[in-house]
Amino acid sequence: MATSLPLSYSHFTSSNLPYQRHSIMFKKSCSLSLPNFSRNQTHLQSFKHISELREAFQSLDSLFADQTSHAQFCLDDAYSTVLQLCASKKALLQGQQVHAHITKSCGVSDSVFLSTKLLFMYGKCGSIVNAQKLFDRMCERTIFTWNAMIGACVSNGEPLRAIELYREMRVSGASLDSCTFPCILKACGSLNDLRCGTEIHGLAIKTGCHSVSFVVNALVSMYAKCNNLNGARKLFGNITVKDDIVSWNSIIYAYAANGKALEALELFREMQKLNVSSNSYTLVSALQACEDSVFEKLGMEIHAAILKSSLNLDIYVVNALLAMYVRFGKMVEAMRVFNNLEDKDIFSYNTMLSGYVQNGLYNEALKLFRYMQSYGEKPDHVSIVNVIAASGRLGNLLYGKEGHAYAIKEGLDSNLQIGNTLVDMYAKCCCLNFMGRAFDRMAVKDFISWTTIIAGYAQNNFHVRALELSKKAQTEGVVVDSMMIESILLACKGLKITYLVKETHGYIMRRGLYDQVLQNAIVNVYGECGYVEYANRMFELIESKDIVSWTSMLSCYVHNVLANEAFELLDAMKGTNVELDTIALVSILSAAASLSALHKGKEIHGFFVRKGFSPEGPIFRSLVEMYASCGNLEYAIKVYDSVKIIDLVLWTTMINAYGMYGHGKKAIDLFRKMEDEGLVPDHITFLALLYACSHSGLIEEGRRYFSSMGRDYHLEPWPEHYACFVDLLGRANCLEEAYEFVNSIEGKPTAEVWCALLGACRVYSNKELGEIAARKLLELDPENPGKYVLISNVLAASGKWKDVHELRMRMKGSGLKKNPGCSWIEVKNKVHTFSARDKSHPESVKIYKKLDQVTKTLQREAGYVAQTKLVLHNVEEEEKVEILHGHSERLAIAYGLISTPNGTPIRITKNLRVCSDCHTFSKLVSKFFERELVVRDANRFHHFKKGFCSCNDFW
């Protein structure tokens, strides 16, 4: 568009002057005095063929400056031509200058011809206000004037005003012509007003215009937009000679726009058979009809035909090709088309940006956005939505903020879609302050806004806030649907509020919102809340179980330490048509890890290999964790070493694995190597590292890395870090230092911190500090049965049986129960569970007989004597011995000795810390029965071999 004109354009001003009466001659009062010109056709023809605004104005200026000819000059033709050029170029400013010059020179109020041309120009340039002003001032209107004004309204998104004008025209008595119908029919289609459209159709028949090709095409389009494809097809079928490309375009577009892709493409084939030449509109409609992968081959055939033809491809066809390949997920082909496109427009860029985001190529989307800006293409709201969405998916807060800043700078931040995308992006980047602000700044919020903000809080563990907003959304009249309920269930799961889960479940049933997504979510939530029976009932009620249904139930069993049930469910799942995916298999690996079921874990690993699953990060992490948890550190290291690109989570998993085995120095070496690779550790990494230092007695190293968290990486310690550091000091018998450290913690130390100190006080019999820690613990966490048991044990070790009795009665009165000690052992591909003094096992008689034999052998040959002081019950000495002999890990060891081949390792998992007497017992068994014992307790791994333990008696 020309925006700066030569010096002679100073004759034209953009001001709106009062309309003056038209005269063939310029008035003498006009500042520019021009002679009369003759109707020289050669002169005018050369003028009409000028295509550029700059040359057009220069030619017009030369006509005005020509003083040699005194023939009458046809001003109407001259101005008409330049106005048409302004309209085609959408050069509103220049059109206004011409309007001002006409008004200043000769007036237009009585020139219907020039007024109509001006109306047409304003309509094409999108200035409906100026068009309406001019229309209202016209004393005389022809059918061309009415058509121009109606067309201006339709093309500028005011179809209702177009209908009103049409009715005014009918009242005025103006005669309709065939050009009136396309405009008014387009307005009817835009309004989806079939009744009005049918009336216009009747009028077209009455006036005899119904046989005019462009009227027929407009009728076809109107019926299609009003969802009356039968009417559209009937009209098209009545055309006897189907050689008009516009007719074909209208009917093909009609079907494509209404989702009838197959019918649209069949019509396209029929048109080709009749040898009707395609044009750009035909190709765009046909490409749009190729809506999914079913039509992929046909879409590529159309592309090939386009390349073979001699058609000059316009931007619309190329953009349609881009959109088609994006729908197919063929981003390589889309990029090839995009790169070959010389004159890219905003739609081209937006199509590619959307394609990258939809296909998970988020980095490519951000690169394209930068490329787009470097080439001077100004992003619009669609571009911003895509770049913000890509930033959110990558968790790249910096890019997300840049996109937000750009939206504010360009005044696009008030756009509803951008607002919703910003909320989602900040949620995915865990930046909840900005998420809340973005939501609050939205002047208009829709259902998606509320759903997104609730999901954002729920997914970032702000469960109370999520539930508060869900209530507020309902008071605002927002309709609750399955997506919002899914977020509400997630919040209930995080808070473990069972009654809210049940209330939500009831709401779903009353409102009939039961879809499979919610059914799966309810199974998952009941499982997370410990209601395995409810979860199982819901699972059974799902008629068509998909992979998510099975995975939810598998996760339920794994979460509630029901690994055998998880394995049984996996076997049942194999008998269905549902294909296992990585998520389901990762859940099973977690079950194998939780029970140290090495054989099951190896089976799953083999399944991964046989099925050719992609070695993704989560799979590698789960395999490393499984092998490490099953006591096979060597295999865990092999899997870790086979990974080419190691992410932070995998580094952390391996550091934690070394820590579980007491290999603190190896964990530190791995941490240093990770730093050398340029990876930045997070809170979880430091937690694993401190854990490794604690269980290896690396006091100085632990102190150094705890300080390094805040000093070098600006990470504020979590309560878990404080507890781990207190545990580190406590294990080294630095109890006074640990107590001072607890008192130095800013804010209120958590129950976990005091619990760590209390545990150390118990080990080293520091009664004074132990009592302080016990009081603090009861104040902070009075509902945790594990804390009661620990305090009770400390009191019992001091012989304060009266206090122990009072504490246990208090615990009983609160309805709290001690978590019973359990041990697991995998034998013959099945996990066997034992509790203390358990006699429920089918081979219980054999197990106790073997245990008695083993105990007597150790007493006779190794001088083993039970450490009855570890039994913190006020009972006789003989009963204390019986209690020790009935510990769950001893039952598991005995069962392992009678059910596994001689010389093979026995692998056991226990949910509590191994007591000192069982630790001694295990060392002696490994020596005198020549069996390696691998025991994983609540704290770490113990490898007993030839009378020694890998923990060096430090656990």
Side-chain angles (χ1 to χ4, degrees):
M1 180 188 299
T3 55
S4 61
L5 303 174
L7 183 61
S8 55
Y9 295 160
S10 62
H11 299 310
F12 305 108
T13 65
S14 59
S15 60
N16 288 324
L17 301 176
Y19 290 106
Q20 300 172 11
R21 191 166 181 80
H22 174 64
S23 171
I24 297 298
M25 297 291 294
F26 284 104
K27 294 187 176 181
K28 292 181 180 179
S29 59
C30 188
S31 59
L32 178 62
S33 179
L34 294 178
N36 294 326
F37 290 90
S38 64
R39 297 178 180 268
N40 189 308
Q41 291 302 314
T42 305
H43 210 50
L44 287 173
Q45 280 294 106
S46 64
F47 180 77
K48 288 179 180 178
H49 282 85
I50 296 174
S51 59
E52 294 297 329
L53 280 169
R54 184 179 298 275
E55 296 175 15
F57 275 88
Q58 287 172 344
S59 298
L60 183 59
D61 192 60
S62 67
L63 289 175
F64 295 149
D66 189 351
Q67 301 289 330
T68 60
S69 174
H70 297 280
Q72 187 175 350
F73 172 63
C74 181
L75 291 175
D76 284 10
D77 285 349
Y79 281 123
S80 170
T81 303
V82 78
L83 286 171
Q84 282 181 320
L85 192 56
C86 290
S88 66
K89 296 288 184 181
K90 290 185 170 37
L92 177 61
L93 178 61
Q94 285 71 41
Q96 287 176 319
Q97 290 175 335
V98 174
H99 185 182
H101 190 272
I102 294 170
T103 304
K104 190 175 181 182
S105 304
C106 54
V108 294
S109 59
D110 289 336
S111 174
V112 179
F113 176 74
L114 275 184
S115 296
T116 302
K117 286 293 181 180
L118 282 165
L119 274 178
F120 178 79
M121 181 274 296
Y122 280 127
K124 287 291 183 183
C125 292
S127 183
I128 192 70
V129 174
N130 282 329
Q132 187 67 55
K133 285 180 181 178
L134 180 59
F135 182 79
D136 291 340
R137 288 171 178 164
M138 291 178 67
C139 301
E140 182 183 352
R141 296 164 183 162
T142 66
I143 184 59
F144 305 108
T145 311
W146 286 102
N147 288 346
M149 191 61 210
I150 292 170
C153 291
V154 172
S155 59
N156 287 282
E158 295 193 20
L160 192 59
R161 177 60 183 146
I163 299 289
E164 290 171 354
L165 281 169
Y166 162 73
R167 288 172 181 155
E168 289 177 24
M169 181 184 72
R170 296 298 307 281
V171 171
S172 72
S175 299
L176 282 71
D177 67 0
S178 57
C179 295
T180 310
F181 291 102
C183 290
I184 200 63
L185 286 168
K186 186 176 180 181
C188 294
S190 299
L191 294 169
N192 199 18
D193 190 344
L194 183 60
R195 186 186 61 81
C196 184
T198 307
E199 287 179 7
I200 304 300
H201 187 183
L203 186 61
I205 295 172
K206 186 177 179 181
T207 57
C209 295
H210 66 291
S211 58
V212 179
S213 61
F214 58 81
V215 175
V216 174
N217 296 335
L219 283 165
V220 169
S221 179
M222 181 275 296
Y223 279 115
K225 288 180 180 177
C226 293
N227 300 316
N228 189 339
L229 288 179
N230 289 334
R233 189 61 182 267
K234 188 176 180 180
L235 273 171
F236 180 76
N238 290 335
I239 301 174
T240 53
V241 181
K242 293 184 174 65
D243 58 357
D244 181 10
I245 184 60
V246 180
S247 303
W248 283 102
N249 289 346
S250 299
I251 192 65
I252 292 171
Y253 172 80
Y255 277 100
N258 281 273
K260 303 286 185 180
L262 189 59
E263 291 86 345
L265 292 170
E266 284 174 351
L267 284 164
F268 177 69
R269 290 282 199 196
E270 187 181 340
M271 187 189 84
Q272 288 180 311
K273 288 177 184 177
L274 294 173
N275 294 321
V276 179
S277 298
S278 303
N279 63 11
S280 297
Y281 295 102
T282 322
L283 296 171
V284 168
S285 294
L287 290 168
Q288 287 175 343
C290 299
E291 56 186 13
D292 55 43
S293 56
V294 175
F295 304 105
E296 182 178 325
K297 184 179 178 182
L298 180 57
M300 296 182 78
E301 285 178 4
I302 295 172
H303 188 186
I306 292 170
L307 294 175
K308 289 177 183 177
S309 70
S310 57
L311 286 172
N312 291 322
L313 292 186
D314 61 26
I315 189 68
Y316 302 106
V317 175
V318 180
N319 285 339
L321 276 169
L322 278 177
M324 179 194 72
Y325 280 122
V326 165
R327 287 195 299 273
F328 295 160
K330 298 274 186 180
M331 292 308 299
V332 174
E333 289 81 356
M335 196 66 200
R336 192 177 295 122
V337 173
F338 181 80
N339 288 336
N340 290 331
L341 178 59
E342 293 183 3
D343 298 322
K344 302 175 179 70
D345 63 5
I346 188 64
F347 186 85
S348 314
Y349 283 103
N350 286 343
T351 302
M352 288 302 298
L353 285 170
S354 300
Y356 281 136
V357 172
Q358 290 164 17
N359 288 280
L361 303 170
Y362 308 121
N363 280 314
E364 286 77 359
L366 295 176
K367 288 176 185 176
L368 181 61
F369 183 76
R370 290 192 291 270
Y371 171 87
M372 169 185 178
Q373 289 179 297
S374 67
Y375 275 79
E377 187 67 52
K378 186 176 181 180
D380 64 2
H381 83 278
V382 177
S383 319
I384 299 300
V385 163
N386 279 301
V387 77
I388 293 172
S391 303
R393 302 299 191 282
L394 288 170
N396 192 322
L397 182 60
L398 178 61
Y399 281 143
K401 283 183 175 180
E402 286 181 1
H404 191 178
Y406 186 90
I408 294 171
K409 180 182 175 183
E410 298 297 324
L412 297 170
D413 57 318
S414 59
N415 179 275
L416 179 61
Q417 191 179 9
I418 287 179
N420 290 339
T421 311
L422 281 169
V423 171
D424 182 65
M425 180 272 293
Y426 284 124
K428 284 181 169 58
C429 293
C430 306
C431 190
L432 300 192
N433 286 336
F434 280 74
M435 180 186 76
R437 289 177 195 171
F439 179 77
D440 292 337
R441 284 176 60 87
M442 293 174 67
V444 178
K445 300 177 180 71
D446 63 359
F447 164 76
I448 296 173
S449 314
W450 287 99
T451 304
T452 306
I453 190 75
I454 292 167
Y457 280 117
Q459 290 163 9
N460 284 280
N461 300 321
F462 279 68
H463 305 304
V464 174
R465 182 60 178 151
L467 293 175
E468 288 173 352
L469 280 173
S470 69
K471 291 179 181 178
K472 187 176 180 182
Q474 292 179 65
T475 60
E476 295 280 340
V478 178
V479 179
V480 177
D481 77 338
S482 58
M483 289 183 65
M484 190 179 293
I485 287 175
E486 196 175 357
S487 296
I488 293 170
L489 286 170
L490 179 61
C492 294
K493 181 176 75 173
L495 294 170
K496 301 289 191 294
I497 304 178
T498 311
Y499 79 88
L500 273 181
V501 177
K502 291 180 178 178
E503 281 184 9
T504 308
H505 189 179
Y507 180 89
I508 293 167
M509 294 176 70
R510 289 194 304 274
R511 294 299 178 95
L513 296 173
Y514 250 139
D515 59 15
Q516 187 143 353
V517 172
L518 282 184
Q519 286 179 311
N520 295 338
I522 290 171
V523 171
N524 183 264
V525 174
Y526 276 132
E528 288 286 332
C529 293
Y531 279 74
V532 179
E533 186 180 352
Y534 279 36
N536 193 44
R537 285 182 191 174
M538 284 305 306
F539 176 73
E540 294 298 332
L541 288 172
I542 301 173
E543 294 181 3
S544 301
K545 298 177 180 65
D546 59 9
I547 185 61
V548 181
S549 313
W550 289 95
T551 306
S552 298
M553 198 63 220
L554 283 169
S555 300
C556 168
Y557 284 137
V558 172
H559 178 75
N560 290 281
V561 201
L562 297 169
N564 278 332
E565 287 81 351
F567 295 141
E568 289 171 7
L569 188 69
L570 180 65
D571 291 336
M573 182 180 174
K574 290 176 183 176
T576 68
N577 294 324
V578 178
E579 285 290 329
L580 288 164
D581 65 358
T582 54
I583 298 174
L585 292 170
V586 164
S587 294
I588 290 298
L589 281 174
S590 298
S594 67
L595 294 183
S596 295
L598 182 62
H599 184 75
K600 282 287 185 185
K602 284 183 175 179
E603 278 187 9
I604 303 302
H605 191 178
F607 184 86
F608 276 127
V609 175
R610 289 194 306 275
K611 291 292 184 179
F613 278 97
S614 174
E616 301 167 340
I619 294 176
F620 276 125
R621 290 195 293 269
S622 297
L623 284 170
V624 169
E625 185 178 9
M626 183 273 295
Y627 279 121
S629 299
C630 291
N632 199 322
L633 185 61
E634 182 184 352
Y635 272 41
I637 294 170
K638 283 182 179 179
V639 173
Y640 175 82
D641 289 340
S642 69
V643 183
K644 294 180 180 178
I645 301 175
I646 306 174
D647 61 11
L648 179 62
V649 181
L650 189 54
W651 282 98
T652 302
T653 303
M654 199 62 225
I655 290 170
N656 187 60
Y658 279 129
M660 288 173 66
Y661 287 82
H663 300 322
K665 291 191 179 297
K666 288 184 178 179
I668 290 172
D669 290 342
L670 197 62
F671 179 81
R672 288 172 178 165
K673 186 177 178 182
M674 184 193 79
E675 287 183 307
D676 293 340
E677 293 286 332
L679 270 78
V680 179
D682 62 4
H683 284 88
I684 306 297
T685 311
F686 272 105
L687 196 59
L689 187 64
L690 290 172
Y691 174 90
C693 292
S694 176
H695 285 271
S696 303
L698 302 175
I699 309 301
E700 293 306 317
E701 291 85 345
R703 286 194 179 103
R704 186 170 69 250
Y705 285 116
F706 184 82
S707 300
S708 174
M709 273 185 70
R711 184 185 64 247
D712 300 328
Y713 295 101
H714 309 291
L715 295 173
E716 187 69 28
W718 292 346
E720 291 84 354
H721 294 97
Y722 289 125
C724 198
F725 189 64
V726 170
D727 183 68
L728 171 80
L729 297 173
R731 286 175 183 276
N733 199 16
C734 302
L735 296 178
E736 292 296 333
E737 182 185 349
Y739 181 60
E740 289 176 8
F741 174 77
V742 171
N743 288 325
S744 71
I745 296 173
E746 293 184 13
K748 202 173 183 180
T750 63
E752 287 72 22
V753 174
W754 288 110
C755 186
L757 181 61
L758 181 59
C761 291
R762 179 195 167 194
V763 172
Y764 292 104
S765 302
N766 191 319
K767 299 177 183 177
E768 183 181 349
L769 284 181
E771 288 181 5
I772 294 171
R775 284 197 300 271
K776 291 289 185 182
L777 199 54
L778 283 177
E779 289 173 11
L780 292 171
D781 199 3
E783 302 300 323
N784 191 315
K787 306 296 189 296
Y788 275 98
V789 172
L790 178 59
I791 295 168
S792 173
N793 290 342
V794 171
L795 293 172
S798 302
K800 297 182 177 180
W801 297 112
K802 184 179 178 181
D803 293 338
V804 170
H805 178 71
E806 288 178 0
L807 191 67
R808 288 176 178 171
M809 291 302 293
R810 179 178 171 183
M811 184 176 171
K812 186 177 180 180
S814 301
L816 301 175
K817 293 183 179 180
K818 175 188 174 183
N819 188 23
C822 293
S823 295
W824 299 271
I825 180 172
E826 183 189 22
V827 176
K828 295 177 182 178
N829 208 21
K830 185 179 180 182
V831 177
H832 299 260
T833 306
F834 298 92
S835 57
R837 291 187 279 183
D838 186 8
K839 293 186 179 180
S840 63
H841 195 277
E843 298 182 64
S844 181
V845 175
K846 289 182 180 180
I847 293 169
Y848 276 94
K849 185 178 179 180
K850 183 66 177 178
L851 180 59
D852 186 55
Q853 177 195 336
V854 170
T855 304
K856 287 179 180 178
T857 300
L858 297 182
Q859 288 172 339
R860 183 177 64 253
E861 299 186 15
Y864 165 70
V865 178
Q867 302 174 52
T868 54
K869 66 176 183 178
L870 299 174
V871 180
L872 302 175
H873 294 276
N874 192 15
V875 295
E876 296 297 327
E877 193 73 11
E878 186 177 339
E879 190 175 348
K880 288 183 178 181
V881 172
E882 187 180 338
I883 290 171
L884 279 175
H885 288 179
H887 278 189
S888 62
E889 56 266 53
R890 300 195 193 200
L891 296 175
I893 290 170
Y895 183 67
L897 289 171
I898 65 175
S899 58
T900 59
N902 290 332
T904 59
I906 297 173
R907 302 177 188 276
I908 295 167
T909 302
K910 185 173 182 180
N911 65 333
L912 302 178
R913 185 177 182 271
V914 172
C915 75
S916 180
D917 191 63
C918 287
H919 194 267
T920 301
F921 180 86
S922 300
K923 286 197 294 184
L924 294 174
V925 169
S926 71
K927 178 179 180 180
F928 287 94
F929 289 85
E930 298 181 349
R931 297 290 288 272
E932 181 183 352
L933 302 180
V934 182
V935 179
R936 191 188 96 199
D937 70 2
N939 287 344
R940 58 171 295 159
F941 265 97
H942 301 267
H943 278 240
F944 301 98
K945 192 173 182 180
K946 296 180 180 180
F948 295 94
C949 180
S950 60
C951 74
N952 295 318
D953 298 336
F954 185 84
W955 82 99

